[in-house]
Amino acid sequence: MSAIIADDTAGEVAMQPTVVEDELIAVIGEAGGAAASSPPKRRARPLDTRVTGQPGFVLHSYPHRETSLIIDVFSRDYGRIALVAKGAKRPLSKLRGVLQTFQPLSLSWSGKSEIRTLIAAEWVGGLLPLEKSALLCGFYLNELLVKLVARDDPHAALFDHYVTTLNQLAHQEPAPIVLRQFERALLKQTGVAGDFTRCTSSRQAVDPAENYVVDPERGPRLARAADSWPRVSGKTLLDMEREDYSDVVTQAQSKVLMRFLLAHHLGGAPLNTRQILIDLMQL
């Protein structure tokens, strides 16, 4: 399949997203606009002047001038980046049908500034579309990435986990388990979550029979009577480290724990899509 050049205005008009998708995209867009500068801006490499054929996904987009878009992209080797898609809002632009969320893309761009210029975009395929509750979960993943991943900070392993998670959601695997696994991977890959198998204060192995709290900055320690943080069993911590959520107690405790840890690392910023999920699905 040939790549679509960014300023090409030929082609058919893409189908418009549903009302629900429009509202959720707006939620992500508003969150992204406010939160894009929140994570620390770490650049692991000099900004490349030209990149071709990079795997990536659109996390959200927002209008830029009269006919263009700014797209927030999660790429495999360059992390989360901002691209200007010139002419993408024109009625006959082929990019309207390509720059969609949850679609695997091959992207090419150029430029040295923080917002680079999209040169070409090609739909790669290989993923089933997200529908119904899975679509809501997908927007939740995107909001987490926008708010917790710094720009220009590569996370190849997290990118691969994102692709796996989209596949799991598309195949209707249990959403609570899939989301807990992604949340945990996100915090680990961004360097804000440590090992759940050892108590940080004593360096002793976590005991499955004991109760613990997790210090968001340090890790697990034995629970105390005065603690207000969520209490979880040692078994839950060990299950989470093994990505084993088969136990219903582990599912319940991990949900509360991850909500607490995410709230801390978000610095109080609300997760709009999570509230929708809580209201609709109690995830």
Side-chain angles (χ1 to χ4, degrees), residues 61-88:
S61 62
Y62 51 92
H64 177 65
R65 298 179 179 172
E66 292 185 2
T67 62
S68 301
L69 292 172
I70 300 292
I71 56 173
D72 202 334
V73 167
F74 188 37
S75 66
R76 190 180 193 280
D77 299 318
Y78 295 83
R80 192 170 69 87
I81 60 172
L83 301 174
V84 57
K86 295 181 178 180

Side-chain angles (χ1 to χ4, degrees), residues 31 74 93 113 136 191 272 274:
F74 188 37
S93 172
S113 62
L136 296 175
N272 300 303
R274 183 174 184 87

Side-chain angles (χ1 to χ4, degrees), residues 55-57 74-77 105 155-164:
F57 288 83
F74 188 37
S75 66
R76 190 180 193 280
D77 299 318
L105 302 175
H155 290 288
L158 181 60
F159 179 90
D160 292 342
H161 200 118
Y162 177 75
V163 175
T164 297

